[in-house]
Amino acid sequence: GKVLVFPMEGSHWLSIRDVVRELHARGHQAVVLAPEVTVHIKEEDFFTLQTYPVPYTKEEYRHHLLGHLQNFFETEFSLKLVLQTMAAVNNVSTFYVRSCRGLLHNTALIQSLNSSSFDVVLTDPFFPCGAVLAMYLRVPAVFFLQSMLCELEFEATNSPNPSSYIPRLLTLNSDHMSFLDRVKNMLYPVPWMYLCHVNYGSLARLASDLLQREVSVVEILRHASVWLLRKDFVFHYPRPFMPNMVFIGGINCANRKPLSQEFEAYVNASGEHGIVVFSLGSMVSEIPEKKAMEIAEALGRIPQTLLWRYTGTRPSNLAKNTILVKWLPQNDLLGHPKARAFITHSGSHGIYEGICNGVPMVMMPLFGDQMDNAKRMETRGAGVTLNVLEMTADDLENALKTVINNKSYKENIMRLSSLHKDRPIEPLDLAVFWVEYVMRHKGAPHLRPAAHDLTWYQYHSLDVIGFLLAIVLTVVFIVYKSCAYGCRKCFGGKGRVKKSHKSKTH
Amino acid sequence: GKLLVVPMDGSHWFTMQMVVEKLLPKGHEVVVVVPEVSWQLGKPLNFTVKTYSVSHTQEDLNREFKFFIDSQWKTQQESGVLPLLTSPAQGFFELLFSHCRSLFKDKKLVEYLKQSSFDAVFLDPFDVCGLTVAKYFSLPSVVFSRGIFCHYLEEGSQCPSPPSYVPRPILKLTDTMTFKERVWNLLSYMGEHAFCPSFFKTATDIASEVLQTPVTMTDLFSPVSVWLLRTDFTLELPRPVMPNVIHIGGINCHQRKPVSKEFEAYVNASGEHGIVVFSLGSMVSEIPEKKAMEIAEALGRIPQTLLWRYTGTRPSNLAKNTILVKWLPQNDLLGHPKARAFITHSGSHGIYEGICNGVPMVMMPLFGDQMDNAKRMETRGAGVTLNVLEMTADDLENALKTVINNKSYKENIMRLSSLHKDRPIEPLDLAVFWVEYVMRHKGAPHLRPAAHDLTWYQYHSLDVIGFLLAIVLTVVFIVYKSCAYGCRKCFGGKGRVKKSHKSKTH
């Protein structure tokens, strides 16, 4: 079959790439559609890269997409940060809309895509331009994602989402909440809904123009036949979901390769103390100098060999046990028996690689769901969270020594690891199966819940409840009135007697 | 590991036995606990069976069940769970529930079970006893069932089930309902909450007695670790699900054997017209004579060869094309390319064998979920439903001719069949996996939603909403009062002037 892949830039691309490779291996043709200007997406031999021109340069792109990351090392979590984030999101979103408009109005390209008659569109809907494209081309879509802004994935699939025990994104709540936690859980998403409205509103307008009917972002998202979600209930709290949601958390740590000679040498040289892997993800390239010095100092105080993925300027106080690299095979290193700990920004990829390989973590969450991820691993006793703004060299040193020397951390992460890896089918196979399924059956209409056709008050049966209440009230009213009437009839004489009596006394 | 199995009698046991037999070669020790008196459980098995004596005889059991079945042939079937709860079924259920008292009376058996230290209980919840056993021995449990009676799946797994689009059982509704149907559906849901506890009173009384603490059905269901439900979304309508609810519909039709010589001869003799398989399931042995005559007449009017599994008296007007047999290899016959149609009581086993082999159906639902099964297949255009009480020979003849000659029925069932069989893992393997999973990890606490620990008003956030409303109202009240006070201050003079003016006029 023919698969059109519309990925998201950044780390999101890295795991969808594995699926594309596997699809290719099973004899499907994949075309990856990407803007001319990209950071991570490069031509590879298992797909055809189809680029489209965009109205910006690489520098602009880097600046807009990655520029705001720097803030997280410098600003306290405050209203200012929220406003900054909003501004950044807004910025990024205008960017994507421009890029999306460039694509959808590119008649020549659209025509050529149309004529190649794809069987399925595989896309990351974080910014759902690919979904609009799929609607426009009338091709069924499979979504591949970790989560969406405002948790739109649950609204769009019509999954029940009670705020009483499902912690909202970024609240740091667990699934057991006190009364005040639950109040926070209910109120917290409200401003974010505004943000989502801003973020996706312009795309919905673009889609409405294109499809010549009014569509909301939720309707765009409902085009998906199957949602492949990079979540797993070892890590996420159990919650209701819909039959067309498939959980493939841990997909990225499936294939581990032996280490290259360079890294093998580092690991062997580490001796009995082993190694610690340190990476803040592919998006963070630089850390403010003062912070970097603090970190370097702490790293120098532990006996393990540190492998630090860092592309910024080398801190002057870097100790001998710390090796700076531009890139490291994170999953392969974590899978090595000598890996003792993992310092991570707790992005979902890193967390799953840590769980899957059973390596305790020191977490420095920076933004987005990373805070929640870190909180969850901490409550499960599998890692220690540091506040990246406030932490001192001592804090980092203590955290590292704790997770390495206190055996409970290793035990807890190993328990999580064994639960996580105990599954009837590998997530990569599952993902590929569902993409193929949608290709074979031209969508999955039998998995579409009838809830999509109901209004919100119908969904919650408010009209039915209102109707029943009305009946009950009418009956009560009639019974009451007739009783009252009956009473008046029976005791009517008395009443009148009293009245006439009264009038007499006047 | 060691597994305790508490099965349910009748056709329920057939598929459960398949799972148990698949567990044996994996080196697990299996102990099955069965009552002395039963239809299917007494058959020799190649694993340890422990029997306990019961206070009734086989005749009692047969009589109660016959009374129940006969009533289904006589009375007009009403839809909904409620009529079932008040029907003659009660006597049969009382008998089933009483098994549990007998089991726990057998002190030797209880002691043996206590000593055996099982890893998990694998149970059919139909007679509730398995749940009581699991709770009594504090063992993690895996439930195996077609569906759960009443609203106990919703309560036991905390799976939301919005009555606006999820039809309640036995109402013959689909997921697209009119306003009237939604009213009926909601009322039925409320009715289940009101009446089901009394239906299960005998069972909960026994459980309370055994556990020496008063328990409800919800208390018995909520510790369940994993639910294996014998349905899937080609039969079931899409609805919310929970992570520990696993769908294994179609588990019974994967192993097909070639048909025996006797049946092969029948099939070959049928010529180009092929065969029709007719069975009302293992539980219905006799049909009222008049009805049987009607049926026999209709069967004689079609050109196909009829294979009718029937143990009652031979109808006098039986035509030549109809062969009465005491037993037939249903799945194997349906799998034969010459199978043209399937006349079934639409029990879930039969329905899945029909779907899996792609044979259009004529359905005569009798009780329980059969009504719903028939309705679903009918709306999907894969079969015709007959009302067993009202149908005439003409109705049956027409129905058979329709499903055989109208190609759309065959096409629809083939489409369902291809959807049903397209799955990443075979249901039997999936069932075995989850039983072993619960044994390995001593339950699945990480799949237990926190909703279990909330009261109903907390679950629906009514307390939070009330609190927020109270705040809003207080603020509004204070603002209003202070405005009013401010106004009085400002315009106070005037007011007083007016008043004094008034008093003057007096």
Side-chain angles (χ1 to χ4, degrees):
Chain A
K2 291 172 106 178
V3 188
L4 179 61
V5 185
F6 189 100
M8 276 295 292
E9 183 57 274
S11 57
H12 290 239
W13 160 244
L14 299 176
S15 49
I16 206 168
R17 186 168 151 266
D18 289 341
V19 179
V20 176
R21 187 191 286 122
E22 187 62 28
L23 282 167
H24 174 80
R26 298 197 189 183
H28 302 290
Q29 284 174 284
V31 174
V32 174
L33 195 58
E36 263 171 6
V37 173
T38 61
V39 180
H40 284 98
I41 306 169
K42 289 178 196 75
E43 197 132 11
E44 273 172 280
D45 57 1
F46 52 89
F47 59 81
T48 318
L49 184 64
Q50 169 81 61
T51 57
Y52 54 92
V54 279
Y56 50 80
T57 64
K58 194 157 186 157
E59 273 56 54
E60 269 184 280
Y61 182 67
R62 268 189 176 282
H63 175 73
H64 279 288
L65 187 65
L66 307 175
H68 66 281
L69 291 183
Q70 202 68 12
N71 297 335
F72 296 99
F73 288 100
E74 285 155 3
T75 333
E76 277 292 340
F77 185 81
S78 63
L79 192 64
K80 195 176 157 210
L81 182 67
V82 172
L83 290 176
Q84 268 180 358
T85 312
M86 282 195 171
V89 169
N90 207 353
N91 232 331
V92 171
S93 130
T94 359
F95 224 75
Y96 280 129
V97 173
R98 269 167 70 197
S99 155
C100 191
R101 184 173 290 123
L103 166 69
L104 293 172
H105 288 192
N106 187 338
T107 10
L109 179 60
I110 293 287
Q111 239 163 30
S112 99
L113 290 177
N114 216 346
S115 61
S116 23
S117 57
F118 289 99
D119 296 304
V120 69
V121 173
L122 175 63
T123 180
D124 186 326
F126 188 78
F127 188 79
C129 186
V132 177
L133 179 67
M135 275 176 107
Y136 191 47
L137 296 177
R138 292 202 179 81
V139 175
V142 174
F143 285 177
F144 185 98
L145 67 156
Q146 141 77 13
S147 63
M148 290 197 69
L149 284 181
C150 300
E151 300 182 285
L152 277 177
E153 68 268 34
F154 298 114
E155 192 184 336
T157 49
N158 249 316
S159 291
N161 203 8
S163 76
S164 51
Y165 76 99
I166 298 169
R168 294 291 177 250
L169 218 57
L170 312 179
T171 53
L172 301 189
N173 282 335
S174 84
D175 59 347
H176 285 91
M177 292 177 258
S178 69
F179 180 75
L180 286 180
D181 285 339
R182 289 194 287 117
V183 172
K184 177 183 170 195
N185 210 42
M186 182 170 276
L187 292 180
Y188 200 85
V190 176
W192 291 100
M193 288 313 280
Y194 168 77
L195 188 67
C196 281
H197 182 75
V198 172
N199 192 22
Y200 293 124
S202 39
L203 182 81
R205 280 191 295 281
L206 174 63
S208 303
D209 285 347
L210 196 72
L211 302 167
Q212 292 177 340
R213 65 187 162 93
E214 205 54 45
V215 286
S216 65
V217 67
V218 167
E219 280 166 81
I220 294 172
L221 294 174
R222 282 188 184 160
H223 181 68
S225 296
V226 169
W227 295 66
L228 300 173
L229 293 152
R230 288 195 289 105
K231 298 175 196 260
D232 184 272
F233 293 108
V234 170
F235 178 55
H236 288 271
Y237 296 110
R239 53 158 300 140
F241 57 94
M242 297 305 280
N244 65 343
M245 299 165 92
V246 178
F247 296 89
I248 50 161
I251 190 169
N252 47 313
C253 67
N255 41 8
R256 201 188 307 144
K257 291 178 289 288
L259 288 175
S260 67
Q261 268 184 350
E262 180 197 356
F263 285 100
E264 188 71 50
Y266 291 142
V267 174
N268 287 337
S270 69
E272 53 156 346
H273 288 299
I275 58 160
V276 171
V277 182
F278 180 10
S279 167
L280 295 182
S282 57
M283 307 288 275
V284 175
S285 48
E286 220 160 322
I287 303 175
E289 202 192 330
K290 208 174 135 244
K291 200 96 277 179
M293 300 267 287
E294 291 246 34
I295 292 173
E297 193 191 325
L299 302 183
R301 295 195 204 146
I302 60 163
Q304 279 76 20
T305 302
L306 265 293
L307 290 169
W308 182 2
R309 182 204 168 281
Y310 187 53
T311 52
T313 11
R314 185 187 172 86
S316 54
N317 60 342
L318 205 69
K320 268 189 187 164
N321 68 337
T322 311
I323 300 154
L324 278 197
V325 287
K326 294 263 176 251
W327 174 87
L328 50 78
Q330 186 169 292
N331 193 33
D332 306 338
L333 282 171
L334 290 174
H336 198 284
K338 282 206 174 176
R340 295 285 180 269
F342 178 28
I343 310 175
T344 171
H345 64 309
S346 55
S348 65
H349 282 109
I351 289 278
Y352 275 114
E353 290 179 356
I355 292 178
C356 152
N357 293 305
V359 181
M361 294 174 240
V362 171
M363 293 163 289
M364 301 180 184
L366 294 172
F367 57 89
D369 61 344
Q370 297 167 5
M371 311 282 177
D372 292 307
N373 296 346
K375 175 82 186 176
R376 270 172 219 182
M377 292 314 287
E378 198 173 46
T379 46
R380 284 167 168 82
V384 171
T385 307
L386 293 175
N387 182 328
V388 91
L389 295 173
E390 293 170 0
M391 73 171 186
T392 60
D394 290 343
D395 291 337
L396 179 54
E397 182 198 348
N398 287 337
L400 276 169
K401 287 192 170 160
T402 310
V403 300
I404 295 171
N405 300 329
N406 184 337
K407 276 194 181 145
S408 75
Y409 286 91
K410 182 72 182 175
E411 279 162 19
N412 286 327
I413 192 86
M414 287 311 288
R415 193 177 48 79
L416 289 180
S417 183
S418 78
L419 281 172
H420 171 66
K421 287 194 283 190
D422 195 354
R423 51 203 170 200
I425 181 166
E426 283 308 304
L428 183 59
D429 294 329
L430 200 59
V432 171
F433 170 84
W434 281 105
V435 174
E436 290 185 318
Y437 184 94
V438 169
M439 290 166 80
R440 274 194 292 271
H441 302 290
K442 317 240 173 295
H446 68 292
L447 295 182
R448 183 191 146 90
H452 287 350
D453 307 322
L454 298 175
T455 61
W456 64 271
Y457 60 87
Q458 286 175 330
Y459 178 86
H460 293 287
S461 293
L462 295 183
D463 52 347
V464 174
I465 291 170
F467 173 71
L468 293 176
L469 266 184
I471 289 182
V472 169
L473 288 180
T474 314
V475 168
V476 167
F477 180 75
I478 290 172
V479 167
Y480 173 77
K481 274 287 162 188
S482 36
C483 274
Y485 181 75
C487 287
R488 231 183 306 144
K489 275 267 157 173
C490 288
F491 307 105
K494 254 188 187 171
R496 237 172 260 150
V497 170
K498 259 189 184 167
K499 244 186 195 168
S500 57
H501 186 69
K502 256 186 194 170
S503 61
K504 264 178 194 168
T505 54
H506 238 276
Chain B
K2 284 188 93 175
L3 184 68
L4 176 61
V5 181
V6 186
M8 164 66 199
D9 204 356
S11 61
H12 284 230
W13 172 235
F14 296 157
T15 41
M16 199 165 175
Q17 192 183 349
M18 286 167 55
V19 179
V20 174
E21 269 166 4
K22 194 101 194 226
L23 282 162
L24 286 175
K26 300 200 162 200
H28 300 296
E29 204 180 312
V30 177
V31 175
V32 183
V33 176
V34 300
E36 217 172 46
V37 170
S38 75
W39 295 302
Q40 310 291 350
L41 300 174
K43 298 188 175 150
L45 300 162
N46 47 358
F47 36 82
T48 318
V49 177
K50 293 279 168 189
T51 52
Y52 55 90
S53 51
V54 288
S55 51
H56 57 84
T57 62
Q58 184 84 44
E59 284 69 48
D60 294 333
L61 185 64
N62 289 346
R63 193 186 54 242
E64 285 296 343
F65 188 69
K66 190 166 181 308
F67 188 51
F68 167 53
I69 290 293
D70 286 351
S71 69
Q72 306 295 323
W73 286 100
K74 283 172 201 148
T75 47
Q76 179 60 51
Q77 295 142 325
E78 285 172 80
S79 47
V81 168
L82 302 186
L84 193 66
L85 300 185
T86 53
S87 77
Q90 192 70 33
F92 173 60
F93 278 96
E94 296 291 313
L95 210 63
L96 286 181
F97 294 155
S98 76
H99 285 171
C100 212
R101 187 173 277 134
S102 310
L103 191 157
F104 280 97
K105 259 191 195 147
D106 192 336
K107 293 285 171 247
K108 244 173 94 185
L109 178 62
V110 172
E111 193 51 34
Y112 166 79
L113 295 178
K114 201 178 269 170
Q115 297 302 326
S116 301
S117 60
F118 292 101
D119 295 313
V121 185
F122 186 36
L123 63 96
D124 188 315
F126 196 78
D127 63 0
V128 191
C129 195
L131 299 168
T132 310
V133 168
K135 205 164 167 94
Y136 183 81
F137 295 108
S138 316
L139 291 173
S141 52
V142 179
V143 155
F144 185 90
S145 181
R146 154 69 174 92
I148 307 294
F149 221 51
C150 288
H151 57 292
Y152 294 118
L153 175 65
E154 285 78 10
E155 291 211 337
S157 71
Q158 290 295 337
C159 181
S161 181
S164 52
Y165 77 101
V166 181
R168 300 311 305 165
I170 331 190
L171 284 177
K172 294 186 250 181
L173 296 175
T174 70
D175 58 351
T176 313
M177 294 179 254
T178 62
F179 182 74
K180 209 175 123 197
E181 286 170 332
R182 287 196 290 116
V183 170
W184 190 228
N185 202 41
L186 182 69
L187 283 176
S188 177
Y189 197 17
M190 285 156 55
E192 284 172 39
H193 280 87
F195 295 107
C196 283
S198 64
F199 179 79
F200 284 102
K201 191 163 182 307
T202 314
T204 47
D205 282 351
I206 294 171
S208 307
E209 214 176 283
V210 168
L211 301 167
Q212 295 183 335
T213 162
V215 289
T216 62
M217 285 300 281
T218 310
D219 296 333
L220 290 174
F221 269 119
S222 67
V224 168
S225 294
V226 167
W227 306 69
L228 298 174
L229 299 184
R230 284 193 291 106
T231 85
D232 76 338
F233 291 102
T234 45
L235 178 64
E236 205 63 59
L237 300 159
R239 54 156 294 164
V241 286
M242 296 300 283
N244 60 345
V245 177
I246 313 294
H247 293 89
I248 50 163
I251 189 169
N252 49 314
C253 72
H254 84 298
Q255 321 151 298
R256 200 189 307 141
K257 292 176 289 288
V259 273
S260 66
K261 267 195 190 152
E262 179 198 354
F263 287 100
E264 186 71 51
Y266 293 142
V267 174
N268 287 338
S270 68
E272 54 158 344
H273 287 299
I275 58 159
V276 171
V277 181
F278 180 9
S279 166
L280 295 182
S282 59
M283 306 292 276
V284 176
S285 47
E286 221 161 319
I287 302 175
E289 202 191 329
K290 211 176 134 239
K291 201 95 276 179
M293 300 266 288
E294 291 246 35
I295 293 174
E297 194 190 324
L299 301 182
R301 296 193 203 150
I302 59 162
Q304 280 74 22
T305 301
L306 264 294
L307 289 170
W308 183 1
R309 181 204 169 281
Y310 188 52
T311 51
T313 11
R314 186 186 172 87
S316 53
N317 62 341
L318 204 72
K320 268 188 189 166
N321 69 337
T322 311
I323 299 153
L324 279 198
V325 287
K326 294 263 175 249
W327 174 87
L328 50 76
Q330 186 169 292
N331 192 33
D332 306 340
L333 282 172
L334 291 173
H336 199 285
K338 282 204 171 174
R340 294 287 180 269
F342 179 27
I343 311 174
T344 170
H345 64 310
S346 55
S348 65
H349 283 112
I351 288 281
Y352 272 114
E353 290 178 356
I355 292 178
C356 155
N357 293 305
V359 181
M361 293 174 242
V362 171
M363 293 163 288
M364 302 179 183
L366 292 172
F367 55 88
D369 65 334
Q370 299 168 2
M371 313 284 175
D372 291 317
N373 296 341
K375 177 76 190 178
R376 305 235 160 117
M377 293 314 287
E378 197 174 48
T379 45
R380 283 164 166 86
V384 171
T385 306
L386 293 175
N387 181 326
V388 92
L389 294 173
E390 292 170 1
M391 74 171 184
T392 61
D394 290 343
D395 291 336
L396 180 54
E397 182 197 348
N398 289 336
L400 276 169
K401 287 189 171 162
T402 311
V403 301
I404 295 171
N405 301 328
N406 185 338
K407 277 197 181 141
S408 75
Y409 286 91
K410 182 71 185 175
E411 280 163 18
N412 286 328
I413 192 84
M414 287 310 289
R415 191 178 48 79
L416 286 182
S417 183
S418 78
L419 283 173
H420 169 69
K421 288 193 280 191
D422 196 354
R423 52 201 169 200
I425 180 166
E426 284 307 305
L428 183 57
D429 296 330
L430 198 59
V432 169
F433 171 83
W434 281 106
V435 174
E436 288 191 297
Y437 185 92
V438 169
M439 290 167 75
R440 269 195 295 274
H441 301 290
K442 313 259 173 274
H446 67 290
L447 295 183
R448 183 185 163 83
H452 281 298
D453 308 322
L454 298 174
T455 62
W456 64 272
Y457 60 86
Q458 285 175 330
Y459 179 89
H460 293 289
S461 294
L462 297 183
D463 52 347
V464 174
I465 293 171
F467 173 71
L468 294 176
L469 265 185
I471 289 183
V472 170
L473 289 180
T474 313
V475 169
V476 168
F477 180 76
I478 290 172
V479 168
Y480 173 77
K481 274 289 163 186
S482 36
C483 274
Y485 181 74
C487 287
R488 232 182 305 146
K489 275 267 160 176
C490 288
F491 307 106
K494 253 188 187 173
R496 237 170 262 150
V497 170
K498 257 190 186 167
K499 246 187 195 167
S500 55
H501 186 69
K502 254 186 194 169
S503 60
K504 263 177 196 171
T505 55
H506 236 275

